[in-house]
Each structure stands twice: as C-alpha cells, then as structure tokens.
Amino acid sequence: MFNKRIKIKELLNSEPQEQQETVMGWVRTFRNNQFIALNDGSTNNNLQVVLELGKFDEDLLKRITTSASLKVTGTVIPSLGKGQKLELKADTVEILGDSDAEKYPLQPKKHSLEFLREKAHLRFRTNTFGAIFRIRHSLAFAIHKFFNDKGFVYLHTPIVTASDAEGAGEMFRVTTLPFDNPPRLDDGSVDFTEDFFGRSTNLTVSGQLEGELGATAFGEIYTFGPTFRAENSNTARHLAEFWMIEPEMAFCDLEDNMNLAEEFIQYIIRYAMDHNADDLEFLRQRLLDEEKQKPQAERSELDLIQKLQFVTENKFERITYTEAIDILLQSPAYKKKKFQYEVKWGIDMQSEHERYLVEKHFKKPVIVTNYPKEIKAFYMRQNEDGKTVAAMDILAPGIGEIVGGSQREERMDKLTERMKEMHIPAEELWWYLDTRRFGTVPHAGFGLGFERMVQFVTGMGNIRDVIAFPRTPKNAEF
Amino acid sequence: MFNKRIKIKELLNSEPQEQQETVMGWVRTFRNNQFIALNDGSTNNNLQVVLELGKFDEDLLKRITTSASLKVTGTVIPSLGKGQKLELKADTVEILGDSDAEKYPLQPKKHSLEFLREKAHLRFRTNTFGAIFRIRHSLAFAIHKFFNDKGFVYLHTPIVTASDAEGAGEMFRVTTLPFDNPPRLDDGSVDFTEDFFGRSTNLTVSGQLEGELGATAFGEIYTFGPTFRAENSNTARHLAEFWMIEPEMAFCDLEDNMNLAEEFIQYIIRYAMDHNADDLEFLRQRLLDEEKQKPQAERSELDLIQKLQFVTENKFERITYTEAIDILLQSPAYKKKKFQYEVKWGIDMQSEHERYLVEKHFKKPVIVTNYPKEIKAFYMRQNEDGKTVAAMDILAPGIGEIVGGSQREERMDKLTERMKEMHIPAEELWWYLDTRRFGTVPHAGFGLGFERMVQFVTGMGNIRDVIAFPRTPKNAEF
C-alpha cells in the first residue's frame, strides 16, 4: 500500500509534537540546498521540508528541482521561520519523479494568464489556478448541498437532443454520418433518418424544458450539467462549452423564484468563504496587485472579499424592467450621451446599461423583472398588461447577467398562442405541452451560468481561466 | 407568494395535532367522492385528503380526476384508515390544473416498462419511477459527499474533445460544418480546420486522461459527467449517453485504488439505504412481484434489500485474472460445456464468465486484478511479469462490470514504448506525457458507470429505466 501519507493541508493544521509523518508532493522551490517548499495540491500553503546539511547525497540534492515529486518522511517540529507554525525535518527523501528544470514550462516567476492558458495541463500547479479550482469545487459542492438539503431531485437532462425549439442560440450538430458521402433523400438533401439517432440531433443549449417535466412530477428538481453554444464569440465572457445549473419548481411564482435565487447565491458564496478562506485571501491579493496596473479611477472600491461580503450581507435590489429603463433615462450617463446603445422601453439592455444599474446606481446585485415579451422566450408567463412577461434576470457587479429565469406559462391556451406567434413547432414539443394538458401547475425556475459564478467569486476577468480546459472558437486543445 | 405549502413527505412525518396546513400535488386516485390520494413527488406515499360529504360542489368534485393538480387547505387529523397515521380534512380545495381522465396516458392500472419508456415525460409520476429517480438523486449526492469529505477536487473535464487517442469506443462527431457543401482541401477531403474548433472534434468517451492532469496537481480529483459511445448496441445494458464517475489519485497504487473503490461503493449504497428506505422497500416489493413471473430456479435467493446489505456488509472478493481463469476452467459449468465462449488465459472474459464468478462461485462482488496487457488500455501500469497490467475490474451480481480501473503507467519509457506498440500517436498526447516528464508520480484511478450503479441499487433490469431520457440507436425523443 502506497498511500500512507498525510495531506499537507491537514499537517499544517496540526500541532508540531515531534511526530513522524510521511508527505508526498511536488517541489515548488529549493533554497540553499536546505529548504524545500513542498506542495501536494491540498492547499496553496507549502510545507517547509528541512534537510540537514551534509546528511543527504549530492546526487539526490541535484534532483530536487522545481516540480520534481518527492516522498519525504521526517519529524514535525515547530518552525523558527516566520509565516509558518511547523516544518518537517527530513529523515528520508525519495525522488518519485524527476523534473528537468530547464525544460519545465512553468518557471519560478510570474507567468501571464494568456501563457498559462496554453499550458492548461500544468497551470493547476500554480497558486492562482490551485485557488480557483479548489473554489470551483467548493461552489459545485455547495450547489448540490443547497438543493439536496431542500429536497430537490437532481435530474440529468439529456446532452444530445433532437429538440431545437428553444432557440437559445446556435447549436452543434452531433452525428455519425460520413461527410464524404452522406445518405441522401430523393430531393438531394441529407437523410438524417440514417443518422445514429434516426434524426438530426444537436448538443443541448438548456435542460429547462426537460427540467419542467421533472418538476411537474417531483415538485422541485435541479440540473447541473454541460450546455453548449456554437456562437463565434471570441470574448472573455463566452465559452462554447459551459456548465449550467437550472432549478425548476412546481407550485412556485416569480416572487418565490427570486427568493430562492437570492438565497441560493448567498448560500454558495458564503460556503466558499467558509471553506476556502486561504484561497480567497490569495485571490484577493492577486486582484489588488492586478488593479495596481490600472488608473486609480478604474480600481474597485471594494476588494474581492469585501465584494463577496457585500453580496451575502445585503438584500438584492428588485426593480421592474420599466423602472430600470426609467433609471437609465434619468441617469447622468444618458444625459451626457455616454451610452453607446439606444435606451428606450423595449430594448434588450446592453452590458453598458446593466453595468450602470449594478455598479453605478445601486452598487449591488439587482433583480430586474417583467421584461417586454418580445425579447424573451416563448415559455415565460404572460403578465396581465399584455406587454410583459414574468421574467427575472439577476445582474451582478463586474459580471453582468448571472441568472436568467421566469415563471413559466402554465396556461395551455396562452402558451400555444405564443408559440404560434413565435413559430415554435407545437408538434415537436408534444411532450412539453402534455404537462399543461394533464394537471398543469404554476411553476418557475432559473438558470445560473456556473463559470460566471466562479468568475464572480474568484475575481477572474476571463471566463477561460475558471474552467479546466476551455472550449472556444478554433480551440479544443487537451 | 405562492409557495406556502408543506411537502407531503414532511407532513406525513409530523404528528396530527389539528394544525392547519396547505398542500399541493397531483391526484393519484379519488374514491367515493370523498377520499383523494394526493402526491407531490416528495415521496411515493400519498396523503389522504378527506372531503366531507355535501361540503363541496358537484362541479368541483367532477374535476378531481387522476393527475389533476390541487391546492388543498385543511386540518391535519389522526387517520382512522389503516396504513396511515394522519389525513387532511379539507376546508378548501382549489383545482390548479384539470386533467382529462379519458386522455391521460397513465391509467390507474399497471403499465409495462416498455410503454412507460414511450411516456418518459410522464413516467416520473408513477411509483416505480418516483422511487428510481429519488434513489438516483441520493446516489449522486452521496458520490459528491464521499469525495468532498475526503478532500477530492471535482474536475469538469471537457465534453467536446479533439483527442481520439484512448480508443475506448466509437465516437460521435461534433461539428458546425454544413453537410451539403463542406469546405474541402485540394485532395477532396473535408477541411476540418474550417470547423468550429479548427479541427475534427468528438464527444468524450472518458475524462480520465484530463483527470490525470488534475490529479498530478491537486493530488486527488474526481469527475462526474456525461460520456458517449456511438455503438450500435440495442441492448438492456447500453446507452449512447451515460454518466460516469472517474476518481484519479496521485500517490496511489493498485491496492489503494481497490480499497477506495470498495469503500466508495459501500458508502453510496449505505447512503441510499439510509435516506431512501421507503423507495427501496417499494422497489423490493416490485422486484418480488416481477420475479414471481419467473420459474423458481431463476429467482434470486436474496431480495433487493438483502442484496444491498450483502454488498455493504461483506468484503469484496479479490482475485487475479489468472486465478479467475483457473476457477472457470475448474468449474462444473466449464466441464459440462455450459459456457458459450472459449475459456483460456488471454481471453477478454464474457458476461457469462463474469456472472459465473460473481453469482455462482463467490456470490458477492469480485475485484479481478492483473489482466493480460493485450486486452487493456495503453495507460495501465505494466507488471513485472511482462504479461499483465495493474488493472482492476469490479464485477457485481446481476450487472457485471461496474467499475474498471488501474494503476497508471507513470514511467515515461514504459508508457511511450507501449503507445508505440499500440499505435497511439504520442504527438497528440504531448500534454498527457508532460505529466510523466515533470515530476511523475505513482497514481491510479477508476471509472464507475453511474447508470449501472443505479440499476444495481434499484434492481431495474433495463438501463433505459434508470436515466431520465435514454439516448439509444434511433431514439432521441424528449
């Protein structure tokens, strides 16, 4: 049995009592042929391993290079150095794997995030990405815990889907047909009945419609899975493959939906703050350093942790779309013609408008409700005014839209009428309509883009830095 | 606010003290214009709602049909009926959604599983599927909890991948190129540099290789995501889209790997037994009824719950592949020529062999180790004998292979040599090989097919009945 080791995180939290311990990890630095900073990924904090001078072979010492892997057994003693309570006085050091310091791509200096994106297979070994991905883990676990504790059922909605009715964006085709000589119908078009699934299929853009099927049986469900957009957007905010959480609740209206979303966001942020204090502190410092490059005026008033605290400790602002437009029209920014895009009732608000509301006007997360029906999906519940739908978007500082949701149209006549207006083929969604046909109930739900949330909590500006192996136009490496 | 209701599960666990409560749910049955069995998906147990004779309108009573949705407010009183502690004496009954009893596809009778598969959007509303999907939820949560408690990092490995090096099975192409007139190179072949990702891409068959990148930085990671096989297998054991869990551990050998897998499987089964006792009892009874259709000799000796207890309470048998072959060669089944397929050292054991070992010989889960290298993947660690690799498969009664894993080949020379022999292109896996180049460590991992596990715990014979919307050849409905 190999795995008789103590994790460095656990060791650093223990008391030095001259106990014997074995640790394994990778060398971060080696100073004066004496002090190894060893990291095993359990925490960004390195263990100081001390080698007694003269005790170890020269040949061995030469092999202790950055990223070499070691097995060290020794005695845990109080540390005389500052910044650490304890250190490991080595009795034996075994090289598990060498690392050629000249060839190792991550040198002991600061690399740019762009450079590290090309080394995505190794960037986990840096402090920044160690912190990000441990926080990402905590957020994912918190999401499952939040919904499990409330009795929601985790539903795995399909990834490959024949339904293209939602119109949430461009889709990727999934196929086993050969490009060179696909089977064709008499009219020359490709015969998708010969494809693997007997029809044309795509990668899902959302699990919501199937989620509604679950909610109208289990009461409350959530999804947490990958979704896809074949949009040719090469920006810091877009991924072709990203993870989404979509809770869906029966017996639930727009207000319940907002209450749940707010409680949910506050819960998962608090969870990360409670479980990843070290990692957040590291990222807070990183962000401060990054902001020092910016002109004073563009720097954030709050640091990363203050920003998170602000979200967990304050109620979100709730305004209607109509109120939001009024605020924009009354704003100094509008009057000074600082907005690039038009502002009037009916527009799909642009990022500059959302940021004004969140960052300048309210300075906190804002829930905007009751959008014009023309700019929202067919399944959103129509309000009495005939103009708006019971939608809600949550806008977060620095990120923009982080949640999109609505009460769903549960009335069969209203729903099919709207589908007709929007040219949604009812016959393809026969199963969706059945939920309205047989014991329909008021219900609501929302979608949270997981990577946007991770960005918000880690303070990372580019979405490619919060997912392990980003998929973007012209890029599917690793 | 709409959602001021008590869930029926919670209500049934409370004491009747004449408290006022509001419940919402769907009608399962309505007897004698008086007794409604109401279900809200939180449990298979229905709440009995009692309507005082003469108190409610005839028109209302007529609308209380199977699957109609209701909001009922009333008083919780002790029940005089048997099998239930309490009932709700209705003060008000509101029809939320009607359901035409003639048209509702699920009649109050027993439907076949095949029929229900075609009504997958409604089958959640049956007792069988209610139980299955609540158990599926519990297993999923238990998986996250198990790894989180041990400090593993949940890694989202990519779904779309350009790597086709693993050779785990046939793959689905992911593309945005048009079939009708795809861009072509001078030699007439399709120009995939024009495709969305700038190269030919597929749906992942496994996250393992990327998982190893995570493990060699964080120490211990796991994945839990969808994987895909474009195999034209129309059987009760195959899905084109299924979910897989793949833990990967640095500083870990084959024995550690087996220990973890065994602990893991026992943990998640115990979790479901602790949290889904009602649902398991329902499925136990269902299975007993199903088995009554079979001849005595084919019936299981243990019922569902006994079978689960047996797995959680007994150590798994551990044998080498060589021992397994010897057992088969010595078996009465072999001597009586009952095996359809050949038995000799070197074969890839067939289902009949695995079942013999598990169900007849050992009568418990069996871990088979050290398979011939010829029938295993390139990344498995080569044993000293030059013939076998440090693989381990876990075989479960009734299901067959439920876990496949191995210690990984961490030695660069051995790995690249084996890749050459197996025609795995090293240049495509440059990032994978980097983990061996820079501080390689002994490491190991395994994959668990989630649906197979859900089958095992629920006792369902067909894998299509344990995933919400199965994807199989010629079928991608919903």
Side-chain angles (χ1 to χ4, degrees):
Chain A
M1 217 165 58
F2 198 90
N3 204 355
K4 286 276 185 197
R5 62 166 177 133
I6 184 169
K7 287 192 184 183
I8 288 176
K9 183 178 181 180
E10 188 186 337
L11 179 56
L12 292 177
N13 284 330
S14 68
E15 291 304 318
Q17 297 173 314
E18 308 235 331
Q19 68 272 39
Q20 282 283 112
E21 294 287 5
T22 297
V23 294
M24 304 187 209
W26 293 269
V27 176
R28 283 286 170 89
T29 58
F30 184 35
R31 287 185 300 118
N32 304 340
N33 264 357
Q34 223 182 338
F35 301 108
I36 303 169
L38 196 73
N39 190 286
D40 68 359
S42 61
T43 162
N44 269 350
N45 299 315
N46 302 319
L47 173 69
Q48 172 146 298
V49 175
V50 185
L51 307 189
E52 207 176 306
L53 282 172
K55 179 175 171 134
F56 296 91
D57 219 58
E58 270 304 313
D59 287 344
L60 180 94
L61 297 178
K62 275 189 200 143
R63 293 170 65 195
I64 303 177
T65 54
T66 299
S67 220
S69 50
L70 307 183
K71 175 178 182 174
V72 182
T73 300
T75 311
V76 184
I77 55 171
S79 179
L80 301 175
K82 59 179 175 183
Q84 60 213 7
K85 181 169 70 176
L86 55 81
E87 58 194 30
L88 188 71
K89 194 171 150 232
D91 293 326
T92 63
V93 175
E94 185 188 332
I95 309 276
L96 297 174
D98 290 291
S99 178
D100 184 335
E102 308 260 303
K103 292 189 183 148
Y104 185 58
L106 307 187
Q107 296 300 316
K109 62 156 195 165
K110 221 176 153 64
H111 290 289
S112 75
L113 295 173
E114 291 74 16
F115 173 84
L116 291 172
R117 245 167 258 153
E118 287 167 17
K119 311 284 177 221
H121 63 309
L122 295 175
R123 66 178 177 173
F124 302 130
R125 299 184 185 187
T126 66
N127 283 333
T128 299
F129 288 91
I132 292 168
F133 284 93
R134 278 189 300 269
I135 290 170
R136 184 179 164 114
H137 163 81
S138 281
L139 290 170
F141 186 71
I143 287 164
H144 286 296
K145 187 164 159 48
F146 177 83
F147 288 119
N148 180 70
D149 289 353
K150 285 190 180 291
F152 283 55
V153 170
Y154 179 26
L155 194 70
H156 290 110
T157 50
I159 311 301
V160 175
T161 169
S163 141
D164 59 357
E166 214 211 331
E170 290 178 70
M171 297 196 285
F172 291 101
R173 174 179 298 287
V174 174
T175 183
T176 55
L177 290 181
F179 263 108
D180 272 330
N181 192 16
R184 293 190 185 269
L185 296 168
D186 288 346
D187 67 0
S189 63
V190 173
D191 181 7
F192 287 108
T193 64
E194 294 286 310
D195 208 345
F196 187 91
F197 295 106
R199 57 208 288 185
S200 171
T201 48
N202 303 295
L203 290 178
T204 185
V205 293
S206 159
Q208 179 200 314
L209 301 191
E210 290 91 352
E212 289 185 47
L213 306 178
T216 51
F218 294 109
E220 295 174 328
I221 65 95
Y222 71 107
T223 73
F224 188 167
T227 49
F228 304 85
R229 296 279 193 288
E231 274 169 50
N232 207 350
S233 303
N234 236 325
T235 82
R237 298 179 68 237
H238 290 87
L239 291 168
E241 172 182 318
F242 56 99
W243 288 66
M244 194 144 71
I245 297 100
E246 297 183 284
E248 191 72 35
M249 296 77 69
F251 317 115
C252 180
D253 65 15
L254 188 66
E255 193 187 343
D256 300 317
N257 201 19
M258 286 191 278
N259 291 345
L260 185 82
E262 183 169 339
E263 181 190 349
F264 169 64
I265 289 172
Q266 291 181 329
Y267 175 90
I268 64 176
I269 293 176
R270 212 175 288 121
Y271 186 94
M273 295 176 79
D274 289 346
H275 291 80
N276 297 74
D278 285 353
D279 290 324
L280 282 170
E281 174 54 29
F282 177 85
L283 292 173
R284 184 186 77 86
Q285 201 56 57
R286 195 202 72 86
L287 202 59
L288 288 179
D289 293 346
E290 191 181 86
E291 293 221 322
K292 280 188 197 139
Q293 320 295 322
K294 293 185 189 169
Q296 189 80 42
E298 286 176 30
R299 295 182 201 166
S300 191
E301 288 167 41
L302 302 178
D303 74 17
L304 180 63
I305 291 173
Q306 289 167 331
K307 213 170 68 178
L308 298 179
Q309 268 163 348
F310 191 82
V311 170
T312 58
E313 288 168 10
N314 288 284
K315 302 269 326 152
F316 295 5
E317 194 66 38
R318 298 182 183 192
I319 58 172
T320 65
Y321 170 90
T322 302
E323 287 164 349
I325 295 294
D326 282 347
I327 290 168
L328 292 174
L329 289 172
Q330 301 300 325
S331 69
Y334 178 78
K335 288 175 180 164
K336 290 182 195 157
K337 298 193 195 309
K338 288 219 173 143
F339 290 132
Q340 196 187 335
Y341 293 92
E342 190 183 23
V343 178
K344 67 171 188 185
W345 201 96
I347 61 161
D348 200 357
M349 280 190 279
Q350 298 294 314
S351 174
E352 58 176 353
H353 305 137
E354 296 177 347
R355 294 189 70 150
Y356 178 83
L357 289 170
V358 169
E359 289 163 25
K360 302 282 175 197
H361 191 82
F362 289 111
K363 295 177 195 262
K364 60 165 144 166
V366 177
I367 312 184
V368 182
T369 59
N370 299 321
Y371 283 79
K373 66 179 179 182
E374 279 72 21
I375 59 171
K376 288 292 183 184
F378 74 91
Y379 49 70
M380 296 195 178
R381 193 174 198 276
Q382 294 161 58
N383 289 328
E384 295 305 310
D385 61 15
K387 295 191 304 183
T388 60
V389 288
M392 64 125 186
D393 283 1
I394 303 186
L395 314 176
I399 306 288
E401 184 192 321
I402 197 164
V403 158
S406 75
Q407 186 169 343
R408 315 308 186 187
E409 182 56 82
E410 87 280 14
R411 296 162 296 184
M412 187 66 162
D413 52 344
K414 298 261 181 195
L415 179 62
T416 49
E417 191 186 311
R418 190 78 189 122
M419 286 172 75
K420 207 171 286 175
E421 285 168 17
M422 294 176 78
H423 309 290
I424 310 282
E427 60 285 3
E428 273 185 33
L429 292 181
W430 62 273
W431 42 272
Y432 184 71
L433 294 174
D434 267 5
T435 57
R436 275 61 172 178
R437 221 168 253 135
F438 304 113
T440 191
V441 293
H443 64 292
F446 62 86
L448 173 85
F450 185 54
E451 281 75 19
R452 295 256 172 102
M453 192 69 215
V454 181
Q455 271 193 281
F456 182 73
V457 175
T458 59
M460 298 305 291
N462 193 314
I463 200 164
R464 298 169 198 212
D465 294 331
V466 300
I467 190 165
F469 303 103
R471 297 302 185 233
T472 53
K474 303 292 171 206
N475 173 37
E477 190 67 273
F478 310 107
Chain B
M1 216 165 60
F2 198 89
N3 203 353
K4 287 277 185 197
R5 63 167 177 131
I6 184 169
K7 287 193 184 183
I8 288 175
K9 184 178 181 179
E10 189 187 337
L11 180 55
L12 291 178
N13 284 330
S14 68
E15 291 304 317
Q17 297 173 313
E18 307 237 332
Q19 67 271 40
Q20 282 284 109
E21 294 287 5
T22 296
V23 294
M24 305 187 209
W26 294 270
V27 176
R28 284 287 171 89
T29 58
F30 185 34
R31 289 185 298 117
N32 303 341
N33 265 358
Q34 221 182 339
F35 302 107
I36 303 170
L38 196 73
N39 189 286
D40 68 0
S42 61
T43 162
N44 268 349
N45 299 314
N46 301 320
L47 173 69
Q48 173 147 297
V49 175
V50 185
L51 307 190
E52 208 177 308
L53 282 172
K55 179 174 169 130
F56 295 92
D57 219 57
E58 270 305 312
D59 288 345
L60 181 94
L61 296 179
K62 274 188 201 145
R63 293 170 65 196
I64 302 177
T65 55
T66 299
S67 220
S69 50
L70 307 183
K71 176 177 181 175
V72 182
T73 300
T75 311
V76 184
I77 55 171
S79 179
L80 301 176
K82 59 180 175 183
Q84 58 212 10
K85 180 170 70 176
L86 56 81
E87 57 194 31
L88 189 71
K89 196 172 149 228
D91 293 327
T92 63
V93 175
E94 185 188 332
I95 309 275
L96 297 174
D98 290 291
S99 178
D100 185 334
E102 308 258 303
K103 291 187 184 150
Y104 185 58
L106 307 187
Q107 295 300 316
K109 61 157 196 165
K110 221 176 154 61
H111 291 289
S112 74
L113 295 173
E114 292 74 16
F115 174 84
L116 291 172
R117 245 167 258 153
E118 287 167 18
K119 311 285 177 219
H121 63 309
L122 295 175
R123 65 179 176 171
F124 302 130
R125 299 185 186 187
T126 66
N127 283 333
T128 299
F129 288 92
I132 292 167
F133 284 92
R134 279 189 300 269
I135 290 170
R136 184 180 164 113
H137 163 81
S138 280
L139 290 170
F141 186 72
I143 288 164
H144 286 296
K145 185 163 160 50
F146 177 84
F147 289 118
N148 180 70
D149 289 354
K150 285 190 181 293
F152 282 55
V153 170
Y154 179 27
L155 193 69
H156 289 111
T157 50
I159 311 301
V160 176
T161 169
S163 142
D164 58 357
E166 214 212 331
E170 290 178 69
M171 297 197 284
F172 290 101
R173 175 180 298 286
V174 174
T175 183
T176 55
L177 290 182
F179 264 108
D180 272 331
N181 192 17
R184 293 189 184 269
L185 296 168
D186 288 345
D187 67 1
S189 64
V190 173
D191 181 7
F192 287 108
T193 66
E194 294 287 310
D195 207 346
F196 188 91
F197 295 106
R199 57 209 287 185
S200 170
T201 48
N202 303 294
L203 290 178
T204 185
V205 294
S206 161
Q208 179 200 317
L209 301 191
E210 290 92 352
E212 290 185 47
L213 305 178
T216 52
F218 295 110
E220 296 174 327
I221 65 95
Y222 71 107
T223 73
F224 188 167
T227 49
F228 305 84
R229 295 280 192 290
E231 275 169 50
N232 207 351
S233 303
N234 237 324
T235 81
R237 300 179 68 236
H238 290 88
L239 291 168
E241 172 181 319
F242 56 99
W243 287 66
M244 194 144 71
I245 297 99
E246 297 183 284
E248 190 74 33
M249 296 77 68
F251 317 115
C252 179
D253 64 15
L254 188 66
E255 192 187 343
D256 300 317
N257 201 19
M258 286 192 278
N259 292 346
L260 185 82
E262 182 169 339
E263 181 190 349
F264 169 64
I265 289 173
Q266 291 181 330
Y267 176 90
I268 64 176
I269 293 176
R270 212 175 288 121
Y271 187 94
M273 294 177 79
D274 289 346
H275 291 81
N276 297 75
D278 285 353
D279 290 324
L280 282 171
E281 174 54 29
F282 177 86
L283 292 174
R284 184 186 77 86
Q285 200 56 57
R286 196 202 73 85
L287 202 59
L288 287 180
D289 293 346
E290 192 181 85
E291 293 222 322
K292 280 188 197 140
Q293 320 293 323
K294 292 186 189 169
Q296 188 80 43
E298 286 175 31
R299 294 182 202 167
S300 191
E301 288 167 41
L302 302 178
D303 74 17
L304 179 63
I305 291 174
Q306 289 167 331
K307 212 170 68 178
L308 299 179
Q309 267 164 347
F310 192 83
V311 170
T312 59
E313 289 169 8
N314 289 283
K315 301 272 322 154
F316 294 5
E317 194 66 36
R318 297 182 184 193
I319 58 171
T320 65
Y321 170 89
T322 303
E323 288 164 348
I325 294 294
D326 283 346
I327 290 168
L328 292 174
L329 289 173
Q330 301 300 325
S331 69
Y334 178 77
K335 289 175 180 163
K336 291 184 193 154
K337 299 193 195 310
K338 288 219 174 142
F339 290 132
Q340 196 188 336
Y341 293 91
E342 191 184 23
V343 179
K344 67 171 188 185
W345 200 95
I347 59 162
D348 201 356
M349 280 189 280
Q350 298 295 314
S351 174
E352 57 176 354
H353 307 136
E354 296 177 348
R355 294 189 70 149
Y356 178 84
L357 289 171
V358 169
E359 289 163 26
K360 302 284 175 196
H361 190 84
F362 289 111
K363 295 178 194 263
K364 59 165 144 168
V366 177
I367 312 184
V368 182
T369 59
N370 300 320
Y371 283 79
K373 66 179 180 182
E374 279 72 22
I375 59 171
K376 289 291 183 183
F378 74 90
Y379 49 72
M380 297 196 178
R381 193 174 198 275
Q382 294 160 58
N383 289 328
E384 296 303 310
D385 62 15
K387 294 190 305 183
T388 61
V389 287
M392 64 123 185
D393 283 1
I394 302 185
L395 313 176
I399 306 289
E401 185 192 322
I402 197 163
V403 158
S406 76
Q407 185 169 345
R408 316 307 186 188
E409 184 56 81
E410 87 280 14
R411 297 163 296 185
M412 187 65 161
D413 52 343
K414 298 261 183 194
L415 180 61
T416 47
E417 191 185 314
R418 189 79 189 122
M419 286 171 75
K420 207 170 285 174
E421 285 169 16
M422 294 176 77
H423 308 290
I424 309 282
E427 59 284 3
E428 273 185 35
L429 291 182
W430 62 273
W431 42 271
Y432 184 70
L433 294 173
D434 266 6
T435 56
R436 275 62 173 179
R437 222 168 252 137
F438 305 113
T440 191
V441 294
H443 65 291
F446 62 85
L448 173 86
F450 185 53
E451 281 75 19
R452 294 256 172 103
M453 192 70 215
V454 182
Q455 272 192 280
F456 183 72
V457 176
T458 58
M460 298 303 293
N462 193 315
I463 200 165
R464 299 171 197 212
D465 294 331
V466 300
I467 190 165
F469 303 102
R471 297 302 184 234
T472 53
K474 303 294 170 204
N475 173 38
E477 190 67 272
F478 309 107

